[in-house]
Amino acid sequence: MKDWHPDLNRSSSPRYMAIADLIEMDLRSGVLAAGDRLPPQRELAKRLNIDFTTVARGYVEARKRGLVGSHVGRGTFVTGGQEKERRGFAAEAVADPRREAVADFSMNLPPEPDGVELLERMRDGMATVAANLIPLLRYQGFGGSAMDKEAAGVWLGRRGLAPSQERIFVTPGAHPALLAIFGMLARPGDAVLSENITYPGMRSIAAQLRLNLSGLPMDEEGILPDALADACERLKPKALYLNPTLQNPLTLTIPLQRREAIAAVARKYNLPVVEDDAYGFIPADGPPPLAAIAPELTWHIGGLAKCIGAGLRLAFVVAPDTKAIWPFISAMRTGNVMASPLNLALATQWIEDGTADSILHFIRTEAAARQEMVARILPAGSYNADAISFNIWLPLTNGWTRSTFSSHMRSSGIGVVASDAFTVDGQAPEAVRVCIGGPITRERLQGALDFMAHALEGSPEMTASFF
């Protein structure tokens, strides 16, 4: 039934709901019958002159009502209610408490979705993936299928990137991609550059590959271009690592003018840039990635851990040019045969049906609400944060050291990590990263922040006197 052309004016519901309404109406009237194949989502969007995401959400709503079923590689078919009966067991599923493991609070965690409607949409996406389970248990080619790369391209387009599919790779997380890229670009003993206060994972990767990681001085806008040029002259580095948006742990975002200045220096010295854009999707209107400013030099890594969920273990990597494709594939396959097809199918489904956008919207909204809570409890100017970051950077005063403060906060339910983990060169400052995301509720977070604020008002000795 590829020529199905619904009239959205027949329903007063929002357009995506109207699509599901009309499938149900046409099924009752005999226009549609069980087994009929509906038009592909993009084709129907073009016919109706509406956004692809609207059609995708409409098909999801129809699946929730048990009207249709989807099959990867075959399409969406009318089921006439049989799909709901076949999948009915899913609604009766009960959460297994053994899965409720304690979160790793040493990681910078996004807030976790908890709304009933959003969770239902997420589960519906998983049910759609499960309908095609067997093909997803097979070995598959590295980097993702054409449909997965198409979804990745759509997602990367939100950052203003439009690379060809041959330059897009889906990897099992940002860490394996970073390890492969730096293993290609540098050899043991070579110099690579980063922010002086940087992501701990980069420090670990440099140590694993026996690279000489050198930290660059920074101001409130990121690394200093003059310092970058000087390091290029002195050290002859093989690459520059940057986490330019909502930088972990300082939460700063490099503005456009500074990005352009950094790109100009990189071009002058033909310096490859590895852009870890883990938080790039969080701002609704952030500056363009370095991969859009200097695409010929930049390896772009758009991880999904912070904008959808770390458990997916997926990242979208954009290679700077076609010459880099085969060395990257070889380097990745040495340690990672492929990203999990199950996880990848779920991510693709969520991107196509709009669930990923809903998760991202929730994370933005909840992060902003939590930062507002921080601003009400902690004195202005006592910490560094962005209005939508998942953490704050807290310089310590009143005799608190990073070790004593981290120990004091250990039972609070929020993650506190000492500055030693982030410092590349020189003495680590007396400061800590405090994560305000993760599974903690707003109520518990407020209690933890009150506890922290009380401690910061006095010295460690005064706090200890209460025990």
Short mmCIF file of all heavy atoms in Angstrom, two decimals, residues 314-378:
data_model
loop_
_atom_site.label_atom_id
_atom_site.label_comp_id
_atom_site.label_asym_id
_atom_site.label_seq_id
_atom_site.Cartn_x
_atom_site.Cartn_y
_atom_site.Cartn_z
N LEU A 314 28.18 4.33 22.29
CA LEU A 314 28.26 4.67 20.87
C LEU A 314 28.79 6.08 20.69
O LEU A 314 28.54 6.96 21.51
CB LEU A 314 26.88 4.58 20.21
CG LEU A 314 26.23 3.20 20.12
CD1 LEU A 314 24.79 3.33 19.63
CD2 LEU A 314 27.02 2.27 19.22
N ALA A 315 29.52 6.29 19.61
CA ALA A 315 29.97 7.63 19.22
C ALA A 315 30.00 7.70 17.71
O ALA A 315 30.31 6.71 17.02
CB ALA A 315 31.35 7.94 19.79
N PHE A 316 29.67 8.86 17.18
CA PHE A 316 29.73 9.10 15.75
C PHE A 316 31.03 9.85 15.44
O PHE A 316 31.24 10.96 15.93
CB PHE A 316 28.53 9.92 15.28
CG PHE A 316 27.20 9.26 15.52
CD1 PHE A 316 26.07 10.02 15.77
CD2 PHE A 316 27.08 7.88 15.48
CE1 PHE A 316 24.84 9.42 15.98
CE2 PHE A 316 25.86 7.26 15.69
CZ PHE A 316 24.73 8.03 15.95
N VAL A 317 31.89 9.23 14.64
CA VAL A 317 33.19 9.81 14.31
C VAL A 317 33.20 10.28 12.87
O VAL A 317 32.75 9.55 11.97
CB VAL A 317 34.32 8.77 14.53
CG1 VAL A 317 35.66 9.33 14.09
CG2 VAL A 317 34.37 8.36 15.99
N VAL A 318 33.70 11.48 12.64
CA VAL A 318 33.85 12.02 11.29
C VAL A 318 35.34 12.16 11.00
O VAL A 318 36.05 12.89 11.70
CB VAL A 318 33.15 13.39 11.14
CG1 VAL A 318 33.34 13.91 9.71
CG2 VAL A 318 31.68 13.28 11.49
N ALA A 319 35.80 11.46 9.98
CA ALA A 319 37.21 11.54 9.58
C ALA A 319 37.44 12.82 8.78
O ALA A 319 36.53 13.29 8.08
CB ALA A 319 37.59 10.32 8.75
N PRO A 320 38.64 13.40 8.84
CA PRO A 320 38.90 14.66 8.14
C PRO A 320 38.90 14.55 6.62
O PRO A 320 38.60 15.52 5.93
CB PRO A 320 40.26 15.10 8.67
CG PRO A 320 40.90 13.85 9.15
CD PRO A 320 39.79 12.98 9.66
N ASP A 321 39.25 13.38 6.10
CA ASP A 321 39.28 13.21 4.65
C ASP A 321 39.24 11.72 4.33
O ASP A 321 39.33 10.87 5.22
CB ASP A 321 40.53 13.86 4.03
CG ASP A 321 41.82 13.40 4.70
OD1 ASP A 321 41.99 12.17 4.90
OD2 ASP A 321 42.65 14.25 5.03
N THR A 322 39.11 11.40 3.06
CA THR A 322 38.99 9.99 2.66
C THR A 322 40.29 9.22 2.84
O THR A 322 40.28 8.00 3.00
CB THR A 322 38.52 9.89 1.20
OG1 THR A 322 39.42 10.64 0.37
CG2 THR A 322 37.12 10.45 1.03
N LYS A 323 41.44 9.92 2.81
CA LYS A 323 42.72 9.23 3.00
C LYS A 323 42.82 8.61 4.40
O LYS A 323 43.56 7.63 4.59
CB LYS A 323 43.88 10.21 2.80
CG LYS A 323 44.05 10.72 1.39
CD LYS A 323 45.31 11.56 1.27
CE LYS A 323 45.26 12.79 2.17
NZ LYS A 323 46.45 13.65 2.01
N ALA A 324 42.11 9.18 5.36
CA ALA A 324 42.21 8.70 6.74
C ALA A 324 41.30 7.52 7.02
O ALA A 324 41.39 6.91 8.09
CB ALA A 324 41.89 9.84 7.71
N ILE A 325 40.43 7.18 6.08
CA ILE A 325 39.40 6.19 6.34
C ILE A 325 39.99 4.81 6.63
O ILE A 325 39.70 4.19 7.67
CB ILE A 325 38.42 6.12 5.15
CG1 ILE A 325 37.59 7.40 5.10
CG2 ILE A 325 37.52 4.89 5.28
CD1 ILE A 325 36.70 7.48 3.88
N TRP A 326 40.83 4.30 5.74
CA TRP A 326 41.31 2.92 5.90
C TRP A 326 42.25 2.76 7.09
O TRP A 326 42.14 1.76 7.83
CB TRP A 326 41.95 2.42 4.60
CG TRP A 326 40.92 2.22 3.54
CD1 TRP A 326 40.72 2.96 2.41
CD2 TRP A 326 39.88 1.23 3.55
NE1 TRP A 326 39.64 2.51 1.71
CE2 TRP A 326 39.10 1.44 2.38
CE3 TRP A 326 39.54 0.20 4.42
CZ2 TRP A 326 38.00 0.65 2.07
CZ3 TRP A 326 38.45 -0.60 4.11
CH2 TRP A 326 37.70 -0.38 2.94
N PRO A 327 43.18 3.68 7.35
CA PRO A 327 43.97 3.55 8.58
C PRO A 327 43.11 3.55 9.84
O PRO A 327 43.39 2.81 10.79
CB PRO A 327 44.89 4.78 8.53
CG PRO A 327 44.99 5.13 7.10
CD PRO A 327 43.65 4.80 6.51
N PHE A 328 42.04 4.36 9.84
CA PHE A 328 41.16 4.40 11.01
C PHE A 328 40.41 3.08 11.17
O PHE A 328 40.31 2.55 12.29
CB PHE A 328 40.18 5.56 10.89
CG PHE A 328 39.21 5.66 12.04
CD1 PHE A 328 39.67 5.99 13.31
CD2 PHE A 328 37.86 5.42 11.86
CE1 PHE A 328 38.79 6.07 14.38
CE2 PHE A 328 36.98 5.51 12.92
CZ PHE A 328 37.44 5.83 14.18
N ILE A 329 39.88 2.55 10.06
CA ILE A 329 39.18 1.27 10.14
C ILE A 329 40.12 0.19 10.68
O ILE A 329 39.74 -0.61 11.55
CB ILE A 329 38.64 0.87 8.75
CG1 ILE A 329 37.50 1.80 8.34
CG2 ILE A 329 38.17 -0.58 8.75
CD1 ILE A 329 36.99 1.56 6.93
N SER A 330 41.34 0.17 10.17
CA SER A 330 42.31 -0.83 10.63
C SER A 330 42.61 -0.67 12.11
O SER A 330 42.64 -1.66 12.86
CB SER A 330 43.60 -0.71 9.80
OG SER A 330 44.56 -1.64 10.26
N ALA A 331 42.81 0.57 12.54
CA ALA A 331 43.13 0.81 13.95
C ALA A 331 41.97 0.44 14.85
O ALA A 331 42.16 -0.15 15.93
CB ALA A 331 43.51 2.28 14.14
N MET A 332 40.75 0.75 14.43
CA MET A 332 39.59 0.44 15.26
C MET A 332 39.33 -1.06 15.33
O MET A 332 39.04 -1.60 16.41
CB MET A 332 38.35 1.14 14.70
CG MET A 332 38.23 2.62 15.02
SD MET A 332 38.10 2.98 16.80
CE MET A 332 36.68 2.01 17.27
N ARG A 333 39.43 -1.74 14.20
CA ARG A 333 39.09 -3.16 14.19
C ARG A 333 40.09 -4.01 14.96
O ARG A 333 39.79 -5.12 15.36
CB ARG A 333 38.98 -3.67 12.75
CG ARG A 333 37.81 -3.04 12.00
CD ARG A 333 37.46 -3.81 10.76
NE ARG A 333 36.88 -5.12 11.10
CZ ARG A 333 36.25 -5.89 10.21
NH1 ARG A 333 36.15 -5.48 8.95
NH2 ARG A 333 35.76 -7.05 10.56
N THR A 334 41.29 -3.46 15.18
CA THR A 334 42.26 -4.19 15.99
C THR A 334 41.74 -4.43 17.40
O THR A 334 41.95 -5.50 17.98
CB THR A 334 43.58 -3.39 16.06
OG1 THR A 334 44.10 -3.24 14.74
CG2 THR A 334 44.61 -4.12 16.93
N GLY A 335 41.06 -3.44 17.95
CA GLY A 335 40.56 -3.60 19.32
C GLY A 335 39.06 -3.74 19.43
O GLY A 335 38.55 -4.16 20.47
N ASN A 336 38.32 -3.39 18.36
CA ASN A 336 36.86 -3.41 18.42
C ASN A 336 36.32 -3.86 17.06
O ASN A 336 36.41 -3.12 16.08
CB ASN A 336 36.32 -2.01 18.71
CG ASN A 336 36.86 -1.44 20.00
OD1 ASN A 336 36.30 -1.64 21.07
ND2 ASN A 336 37.97 -0.71 19.90
N VAL A 337 35.80 -5.07 17.02
CA VAL A 337 35.33 -5.60 15.75
C VAL A 337 34.21 -4.72 15.18
O VAL A 337 34.16 -4.44 13.98
CB VAL A 337 34.83 -7.04 15.93
CG1 VAL A 337 34.20 -7.57 14.64
CG2 VAL A 337 35.98 -7.94 16.36
N MET A 338 33.33 -4.25 16.06
CA MET A 338 32.20 -3.43 15.62
C MET A 338 31.51 -2.87 16.85
O MET A 338 31.68 -3.36 17.97
CB MET A 338 31.20 -4.27 14.82
CG MET A 338 30.60 -5.41 15.63
SD MET A 338 29.52 -6.50 14.68
CE MET A 338 29.05 -7.69 15.95
N ALA A 339 30.72 -1.83 16.64
CA ALA A 339 29.81 -1.39 17.69
C ALA A 339 28.68 -2.41 17.80
O ALA A 339 28.34 -3.08 16.83
CB ALA A 339 29.24 -0.01 17.34
N SER A 340 28.10 -2.53 18.99
CA SER A 340 27.02 -3.50 19.18
C SER A 340 25.85 -3.18 18.25
O SER A 340 25.26 -2.09 18.33
CB SER A 340 26.52 -3.45 20.63
OG SER A 340 25.28 -4.11 20.75
N PRO A 341 25.48 -4.11 17.34
CA PRO A 341 24.34 -3.86 16.46
C PRO A 341 23.04 -3.61 17.22
O PRO A 341 22.20 -2.84 16.76
CB PRO A 341 24.26 -5.14 15.62
CG PRO A 341 25.65 -5.69 15.63
CD PRO A 341 26.17 -5.38 17.00
N LEU A 342 22.87 -4.26 18.36
CA LEU A 342 21.67 -4.02 19.17
C LEU A 342 21.60 -2.58 19.64
O LEU A 342 20.58 -1.90 19.50
CB LEU A 342 21.65 -4.97 20.38
CG LEU A 342 21.15 -6.38 20.14
CD1 LEU A 342 21.50 -7.28 21.32
CD2 LEU A 342 19.63 -6.38 19.93
N ASN A 343 22.70 -2.08 20.21
CA ASN A 343 22.74 -0.71 20.69
C ASN A 343 22.58 0.27 19.54
O ASN A 343 21.89 1.29 19.67
CB ASN A 343 24.06 -0.45 21.42
CG ASN A 343 24.19 -1.24 22.70
OD1 ASN A 343 23.33 -2.04 23.03
ND2 ASN A 343 25.27 -1.02 23.43
N LEU A 344 23.23 -0.04 18.44
CA LEU A 344 23.19 0.86 17.29
C LEU A 344 21.78 0.91 16.69
O LEU A 344 21.30 1.99 16.31
CB LEU A 344 24.20 0.40 16.24
CG LEU A 344 24.35 1.25 14.98
CD1 LEU A 344 24.50 2.72 15.31
CD2 LEU A 344 25.54 0.75 14.18
N ALA A 345 21.12 -0.22 16.62
CA ALA A 345 19.75 -0.25 16.10
C ALA A 345 18.83 0.59 16.98
O ALA A 345 17.94 1.29 16.49
CB ALA A 345 19.24 -1.68 16.01
N LEU A 346 19.05 0.53 18.30
CA LEU A 346 18.23 1.31 19.22
C LEU A 346 18.48 2.80 19.03
O LEU A 346 17.54 3.61 18.99
CB LEU A 346 18.50 0.89 20.65
CG LEU A 346 17.69 1.62 21.73
CD1 LEU A 346 16.19 1.42 21.50
CD2 LEU A 346 18.08 1.13 23.12
N ALA A 347 19.76 3.18 18.92
CA ALA A 347 20.08 4.60 18.72
C ALA A 347 19.48 5.10 17.41
O ALA A 347 18.90 6.20 17.35
CB ALA A 347 21.59 4.79 18.72
N THR A 348 19.59 4.31 16.34
CA THR A 348 19.01 4.70 15.06
C THR A 348 17.51 4.84 15.15
O THR A 348 16.92 5.80 14.64
CB THR A 348 19.39 3.66 13.98
OG1 THR A 348 20.80 3.69 13.79
CG2 THR A 348 18.70 3.96 12.66
N GLN A 349 16.86 3.90 15.83
CA GLN A 349 15.41 3.97 16.00
C GLN A 349 15.01 5.23 16.74
O GLN A 349 14.08 5.94 16.35
CB GLN A 349 14.92 2.73 16.76
CG GLN A 349 13.43 2.71 17.06
CD GLN A 349 12.58 2.64 15.80
OE1 GLN A 349 12.97 2.00 14.83
NE2 GLN A 349 11.42 3.28 15.81
N TRP A 350 15.71 5.53 17.83
CA TRP A 350 15.37 6.72 18.63
C TRP A 350 15.62 8.01 17.85
O TRP A 350 14.87 8.97 18.00
CB TRP A 350 16.18 6.71 19.91
CG TRP A 350 15.63 5.80 20.97
CD1 TRP A 350 14.42 5.17 20.98
CD2 TRP A 350 16.28 5.42 22.19
NE1 TRP A 350 14.27 4.42 22.12
CE2 TRP A 350 15.39 4.56 22.89
CE3 TRP A 350 17.51 5.73 22.76
CZ2 TRP A 350 15.71 4.01 24.13
CZ3 TRP A 350 17.84 5.18 24.00
CH2 TRP A 350 16.94 4.33 24.68
N ILE A 351 16.66 8.03 17.02
CA ILE A 351 16.91 9.23 16.21
C ILE A 351 15.80 9.39 15.17
O ILE A 351 15.28 10.49 14.96
CB ILE A 351 18.30 9.15 15.55
CG1 ILE A 351 19.40 9.30 16.60
CG2 ILE A 351 18.45 10.24 14.48
CD1 ILE A 351 20.79 9.01 16.08
N GLU A 352 15.43 8.29 14.53
CA GLU A 352 14.43 8.36 13.46
C GLU A 352 13.04 8.69 13.98
O GLU A 352 12.28 9.42 13.32
CB GLU A 352 14.40 7.04 12.69
CG GLU A 352 15.63 6.81 11.82
CD GLU A 352 15.51 5.58 10.95
OE1 GLU A 352 14.62 4.74 11.23
OE2 GLU A 352 16.30 5.47 10.00
N ASP A 353 12.67 8.17 15.15
CA ASP A 353 11.30 8.40 15.63
C ASP A 353 11.16 9.61 16.55
O ASP A 353 10.08 9.90 17.06
CB ASP A 353 10.72 7.14 16.30
CG ASP A 353 11.40 6.78 17.62
OD1 ASP A 353 12.01 7.65 18.26
OD2 ASP A 353 11.29 5.60 18.03
N GLY A 354 12.28 10.34 16.76
CA GLY A 354 12.22 11.56 17.56
C GLY A 354 12.46 11.37 19.04
O GLY A 354 12.53 12.36 19.79
N THR A 355 12.61 10.12 19.50
CA THR A 355 12.84 9.88 20.92
C THR A 355 14.16 10.49 21.39
O THR A 355 14.25 11.04 22.49
CB THR A 355 12.82 8.37 21.22
OG1 THR A 355 11.56 7.83 20.83
CG2 THR A 355 13.03 8.10 22.70
N ALA A 356 15.20 10.40 20.54
CA ALA A 356 16.49 10.97 20.92
C ALA A 356 16.38 12.47 21.17
O ALA A 356 16.98 13.00 22.13
CB ALA A 356 17.53 10.69 19.83
N ASP A 357 15.61 13.17 20.35
CA ASP A 357 15.41 14.60 20.57
C ASP A 357 14.68 14.85 21.89
O ASP A 357 14.98 15.82 22.60
CB ASP A 357 14.61 15.20 19.42
CG ASP A 357 15.46 15.39 18.17
OD1 ASP A 357 16.55 15.97 18.29
OD2 ASP A 357 15.03 14.98 17.09
N SER A 358 13.73 13.99 22.21
CA SER A 358 13.00 14.15 23.48
C SER A 358 13.92 13.92 24.68
O SER A 358 13.82 14.62 25.68
CB SER A 358 11.81 13.18 23.52
OG SER A 358 10.88 13.48 22.50
N ILE A 359 14.80 12.92 24.58
CA ILE A 359 15.76 12.68 25.65
C ILE A 359 16.67 13.88 25.81
O ILE A 359 16.94 14.35 26.93
CB ILE A 359 16.58 11.40 25.37
CG1 ILE A 359 15.68 10.17 25.37
CG2 ILE A 359 17.70 11.24 26.42
CD1 ILE A 359 16.38 8.90 24.88
N LEU A 360 17.17 14.39 24.69
CA LEU A 360 18.06 15.55 24.73
C LEU A 360 17.36 16.76 25.34
O LEU A 360 17.95 17.49 26.15
CB LEU A 360 18.54 15.87 23.32
CG LEU A 360 19.47 17.06 23.14
CD1 LEU A 360 20.71 16.93 24.03
CD2 LEU A 360 19.88 17.21 21.68
N HIS A 361 16.09 16.97 24.97
CA HIS A 361 15.32 18.09 25.54
C HIS A 361 15.19 17.93 27.06
O HIS A 361 15.34 18.89 27.81
CB HIS A 361 13.95 18.16 24.89
CG HIS A 361 13.07 19.22 25.49
ND1 HIS A 361 13.25 20.56 25.26
CD2 HIS A 361 11.99 19.11 26.33
CE1 HIS A 361 12.34 21.26 25.92
NE2 HIS A 361 11.56 20.40 26.57
N PHE A 362 14.91 16.69 27.49
CA PHE A 362 14.81 16.45 28.94
C PHE A 362 16.12 16.78 29.64
O PHE A 362 16.14 17.43 30.69
CB PHE A 362 14.43 15.00 29.22
CG PHE A 362 14.63 14.61 30.66
CD1 PHE A 362 13.67 14.91 31.61
CD2 PHE A 362 15.82 14.01 31.07
CE1 PHE A 362 13.88 14.60 32.95
CE2 PHE A 362 16.04 13.69 32.40
CZ PHE A 362 15.06 13.99 33.35
N ILE A 363 17.24 16.31 29.08
CA ILE A 363 18.54 16.53 29.70
C ILE A 363 18.83 18.02 29.82
O ILE A 363 19.29 18.50 30.87
CB ILE A 363 19.65 15.80 28.92
CG1 ILE A 363 19.50 14.28 29.09
CG2 ILE A 363 21.03 16.25 29.37
CD1 ILE A 363 20.44 13.46 28.22
N ARG A 364 18.56 18.77 28.75
CA ARG A 364 18.77 20.22 28.80
C ARG A 364 17.94 20.86 29.90
O ARG A 364 18.44 21.66 30.70
CB ARG A 364 18.38 20.84 27.46
CG ARG A 364 19.33 20.59 26.32
CD ARG A 364 18.72 21.12 25.03
NE ARG A 364 19.60 20.94 23.89
CZ ARG A 364 19.19 20.89 22.64
NH1 ARG A 364 17.89 21.00 22.37
NH2 ARG A 364 20.06 20.74 21.66
N THR A 365 16.66 20.51 29.93
CA THR A 365 15.73 21.13 30.87
C THR A 365 16.09 20.79 32.31
O THR A 365 16.12 21.66 33.19
CB THR A 365 14.29 20.69 30.56
OG1 THR A 365 13.97 21.02 29.21
CG2 THR A 365 13.30 21.36 31.49
N GLU A 366 16.39 19.52 32.55
CA GLU A 366 16.70 19.08 33.91
C GLU A 366 18.05 19.63 34.37
O GLU A 366 18.20 20.02 35.54
CB GLU A 366 16.69 17.55 33.98
CG GLU A 366 16.93 16.99 35.37
CD GLU A 366 15.86 17.36 36.39
OE1 GLU A 366 14.75 17.75 35.99
OE2 GLU A 366 16.16 17.25 37.60
N ALA A 367 19.04 19.66 33.48
CA ALA A 367 20.34 20.23 33.85
C ALA A 367 20.19 21.70 34.23
O ALA A 367 20.81 22.17 35.20
CB ALA A 367 21.33 20.07 32.70
N ALA A 368 19.37 22.44 33.48
CA ALA A 368 19.15 23.85 33.79
C ALA A 368 18.49 24.01 35.14
O ALA A 368 18.86 24.90 35.93
CB ALA A 368 18.30 24.49 32.70
N ALA A 369 17.51 23.15 35.44
CA ALA A 369 16.82 23.22 36.73
C ALA A 369 17.78 22.93 37.88
O ALA A 369 17.72 23.58 38.94
CB ALA A 369 15.65 22.23 36.75
N ARG A 370 18.69 21.99 37.66
CA ARG A 370 19.64 21.65 38.72
C ARG A 370 20.67 22.76 38.91
O ARG A 370 21.08 23.04 40.04
CB ARG A 370 20.31 20.32 38.40
CG ARG A 370 19.32 19.17 38.43
CD ARG A 370 19.96 17.81 38.18
NE ARG A 370 18.94 16.76 38.22
CZ ARG A 370 19.17 15.50 38.57
NH1 ARG A 370 20.39 15.13 38.90
NH2 ARG A 370 18.20 14.62 38.58
N GLN A 371 21.07 23.41 37.82
CA GLN A 371 22.00 24.53 37.96
C GLN A 371 21.33 25.70 38.68
O GLN A 371 21.98 26.42 39.44
CB GLN A 371 22.52 24.97 36.60
CG GLN A 371 23.57 24.04 35.99
CD GLN A 371 24.89 24.06 36.75
OE1 GLN A 371 25.12 24.86 37.65
NE2 GLN A 371 25.79 23.16 36.37
N GLU A 372 20.04 25.90 38.46
CA GLU A 372 19.32 26.93 39.20
C GLU A 372 19.30 26.61 40.69
O GLU A 372 19.41 27.52 41.53
CB GLU A 372 17.89 27.05 38.66
CG GLU A 372 17.80 27.66 37.27
CD GLU A 372 16.39 27.63 36.70
OE1 GLU A 372 15.47 27.17 37.43
OE2 GLU A 372 16.21 28.05 35.55
N MET A 373 19.19 25.35 41.02
CA MET A 373 19.23 24.93 42.42
C MET A 373 20.60 25.24 43.03
O MET A 373 20.70 25.76 44.15
CB MET A 373 18.93 23.42 42.51
CG MET A 373 18.85 22.88 43.92
SD MET A 373 18.61 21.08 43.92
CE MET A 373 17.06 20.94 43.03
N VAL A 374 21.66 24.94 42.28
CA VAL A 374 23.01 25.25 42.75
C VAL A 374 23.16 26.74 43.02
O VAL A 374 23.71 27.16 44.04
CB VAL A 374 24.06 24.78 41.72
CG1 VAL A 374 25.46 25.25 42.14
CG2 VAL A 374 24.05 23.27 41.59
N ALA A 375 22.64 27.56 42.09
CA ALA A 375 22.77 29.01 42.21
C ALA A 375 22.03 29.54 43.44
O ALA A 375 22.44 30.57 44.01
CB ALA A 375 22.25 29.68 40.95
N ARG A 376 20.97 28.87 43.85
CA ARG A 376 20.23 29.31 45.04
C ARG A 376 20.96 28.94 46.33
O ARG A 376 20.77 29.60 47.36
CB ARG A 376 18.83 28.69 45.05
CG ARG A 376 17.90 29.22 43.98
CD ARG A 376 16.46 28.82 44.28
NE ARG A 376 16.26 27.38 44.30
CZ ARG A 376 15.91 26.64 43.24
NH1 ARG A 376 15.74 27.24 42.06
NH2 ARG A 376 15.74 25.34 43.34
N ILE A 377 21.78 27.89 46.26
CA ILE A 377 22.39 27.37 47.49
C ILE A 377 23.82 27.85 47.70
O ILE A 377 24.22 28.18 48.82
CB ILE A 377 22.32 25.83 47.48
CG1 ILE A 377 20.85 25.38 47.53
CG2 ILE A 377 23.11 25.23 48.64
CD1 ILE A 377 20.65 23.89 47.35
N LEU A 378 24.62 27.90 46.62
CA LEU A 378 26.01 28.30 46.75
C LEU A 378 26.18 29.77 46.42
O LEU A 378 25.50 30.30 45.54
CB LEU A 378 26.89 27.45 45.81
CG LEU A 378 26.92 25.95 46.06
CD1 LEU A 378 27.91 25.29 45.09
CD2 LEU A 378 27.28 25.63 47.49
#
